[in-house]
Amino acid sequence: MSDSRAAIGLESGDMAPEAGPPVVRFRVLGLIRAWRGDVELDLGPRQRQLILALLLVADGRPVDLADFVALLWAGEPPPSAVNVVHRYIGGLRRLLEPELPNRATGRWLQRHGAGYRLDAAGASLDLRQARTFAAEARQLAATGDVAAAVAGYARALKLWDGRCGAGLDGAAGVHPAFVAVDREGSALARAAADAALSAGLCPVVLPALRRAAERDPFDEALQARLLLGLAADGRQAEALTGYQTVRRRLAEELGIEPGPDLIQAHRRILDQQFAVVTPVPPEPATVIEPLPVPPAQLPTDLAGFAGRRAELAQLDAILDAAEQDGGTAVAVIDGMPGVGKSTLAVHWAHRAADRFPDGQLFLDLRGFDADGTPTSPFDALGSLLTGLGVAAGRLPAGLDARAGLYRSLLSGRRILVVLDNAIAAGQAAALLPASPGCAAVVTSRHRLTELTLRGARALTADLPGLDDARDSLRARIGDQRASAEPQALDEIIARCGRLPLAIAVVGARAHGNPEFSLTAIAAELRAAPNPLDALHDIFSWSYRSLSEPAARLLRLLSLHVGGEITTAAAASLAGLPPRRARELTAELTQGRLLLERQPGRYVLHDLIHAYAAGLARDREPAAERDAALARLLTHYALTAQHARDWLGTPPPGPADTPSAGEVTAEPIGSYDAAVRTLARISSIVAGRIRRAPGDA
């Protein structure tokens, strides 16, 4: 073994030579390491190693600065974050090329747009070589040379020496790019086991199969193949003991029984049929038990949705391609506030809902809420699992266990997951389905490049074109009115900056005031000195058209920063009977100042929230703001007690909803509703209700 190959633990032939001697060699499978020539490099602090690991996983693709920042600081970067990343990049460049003059363009690390790329084409990278060996093995297996395929798989698995970026603490363990590589390794081990079982060559891959199974203890298909490999190697007792170990782990940590892969492997071991030529086939989707109540959580579709034909076609194409390839469709929609990302995602989800007969999940990740407290992956998984029918008392206590149960419940089903308002890729990564037949749509103001590294397809929702904007406004005011004043129609669209939210509000004002000419509305917009003032004026129009009780409710709603608010909570906030609150929220939704996500559940758009908060500071005395918040907190306390009463001794029949003066509790009609209500209140009260900005 040569010194250079000994340095990376490879025997002759394990890594194909590059053109000429490699100047630099990298290792990212397991501990991250690098060599220049025959000298191993000291990669320095953990943060610099994380940056190098992300560049290596990208394998020549550019990585944005924002992705480096999100990786190093997990959503709370310091003001100097970008400068710190530049310094780490500079340190890596000097480490790889110590003779490089200052400000010179390096051979390996290169600036690319708003980020960097590692041009490792002339370097040796274990991940790339393992993928090459795996591709060759798959080709050999497809042509029937299974014995040669097993040898190729063994070479690839020998390079897969551990978790991607092992030793870089928790950041590498949850980052989507690293998680994707780990899943790739598990899939490689499963394919190697299938080939070895069919060829009777299990001893060749068994050590690597053990290591892969230890790294992914909740991958039931991988565990099943390890058990079959042990039995085929004459270790039937060890295989049966291993089955009981896996079964206990699933029960204790996830609260589930073994799935079809493990059950069939156990049966084959008992029947001593582990050496049959055919690998373990996946159970057909038809044997998967249907969910007791398929989730149907999509918000109400926008009536009169118009335009976005290109984006809808692109989303259709992403789903079609995934179905043809037998994979999982994941689309990430990014764009500026108010551009209509959520509306687009929800409208497409309704169009595609019939392709997901097992249900649709929706979750607002609250990445841009006014209180700056995004939903954590742990809490998000709890909400999604609850939507899949898991009782709150059976939710696993750990993040990994929740993610494992979530993947298990999605396995074999066709479910669509819509994740709205993600602030970072890491927030959404654990929530993405991995089962063929499932799909996910994620929306964010940020470009979640890390998700694309693991196969997601990116889609930017730009400002709509003029034709789409016209269609959108026409849908709100009618073709006849739009055709009567085409120039005024186009001027309104231009003054709105083609921003869909602004167009929606103007359309609602025009629809509610049919006596207003479009020319007059355009003139009002024209009077604004700049586009931001025009947007403020648009909101002002709708605000001025409200009845005073509805305007007061809008101002008070800005005090609630816990995401969605129910009718009962809004009634308590304003000190009104629920029936009157329903009338006022209907007035607000008609004017497009309030969005009804689900029947009786409302949310303010961020821009309108900021506008309403300013009105509350200016027009609501501090004493009234204090009183409104006190009523809201009393509402949640009363509702929590109501839910606890249900969980203790549910009433035998319909029970009265408790009230206290101007405060009404949330109506609860079932045990499950009580559990969900308590979970939601816990999330809100744990720091998500505060005073309006500017209050003491």
Side-chain angles (χ1 to χ4, degrees), residues 280-556:
V280 181
E283 290 287 337
T286 52
V287 306
I288 299 296
E289 290 295 328
L291 293 169
V293 180
Q297 298 182 345
L298 294 179
T300 304
D301 195 9
L302 176 65
F305 181 96
R308 296 295 190 190
R309 288 175 285 272
E311 291 88 346
L312 291 170
Q314 190 172 349
L315 289 168
D316 287 340
I318 292 171
L319 181 56
D320 292 341
E323 289 183 345
Q324 292 173 6
D325 296 340
T328 307
V330 179
V332 182
I333 304 174
D334 63 74
M336 64 185 291
V339 80
K341 303 179 295 296
S342 301
T343 302
L344 170 63
V346 169
H347 179 72
W348 179 83
H350 277 283
R351 286 198 347 166
D354 60 349
R355 299 171 70 172
F356 300 95
D358 294 310
Q360 306 87 42
L361 295 167
F362 178 88
L363 185 62
D364 185 352
L365 296 177
R366 300 164 64 173
F368 307 95
D369 271 14
D371 67 349
T373 310
T375 303
S376 69
F378 179 83
D379 289 339
L381 282 167
S383 297
L384 292 171
L385 288 171
T386 301
L388 291 169
V390 179
R394 295 194 64 200
L395 290 175
L399 175 62
D400 289 343
R402 287 190 174 193
L405 178 57
Y406 177 63
R407 291 194 296 269
S408 296
L409 290 175
L410 294 182
S411 179
R413 296 191 170 97
R414 296 184 62 83
I415 291 179
L416 174 62
V417 183
V418 180
L419 304 171
D420 200 20
N421 292 316
I423 194 170
Q427 185 189 23
L431 316 179
L432 297 177
S435 299
C438 290
V441 180
V442 185
T443 73
S444 179
R445 295 181 187 177
H446 301 155
R447 289 188 174 179
L448 306 183
T449 307
E450 300 156 64
L451 294 185
T452 63
L453 293 177
R454 58 174 293 180
R457 298 285 299 278
L459 168 64
T460 297
D462 290 320
L463 290 171
L466 181 57
D467 287 341
D468 279 358
R470 285 170 178 156
D471 289 344
S472 178
L473 191 50
R474 281 176 181 272
R476 290 172 168 83
I477 66 175
D479 286 339
Q480 182 176 359
R481 195 172 176 192
S483 299
E485 299 180 88
Q487 292 182 338
L489 184 85
D490 285 353
E491 183 176 358
I492 289 172
I493 291 169
R495 296 291 175 183
C496 289
R498 301 205 314 275
L499 189 68
L501 175 63
I503 292 173
V505 175
V506 172
R509 170 174 167 79
H511 178 76
N513 297 275
E515 71 278 7
F516 290 4
S517 69
L518 298 186
T519 300
I521 294 175
E524 286 186 276
L525 284 172
R526 195 183 311 129
N530 61 60
L532 289 179
D533 286 347
L535 187 59
H536 185 278
D537 287 347
I538 289 169
F539 296 155
S540 296
W541 288 344
S542 293
Y543 175 77
R544 290 196 302 269
S545 70
L546 297 172
S547 65
E548 175 48 34
R552 173 177 175 269
L553 178 59
L554 178 68
R555 296 193 297 267
L556 294 180

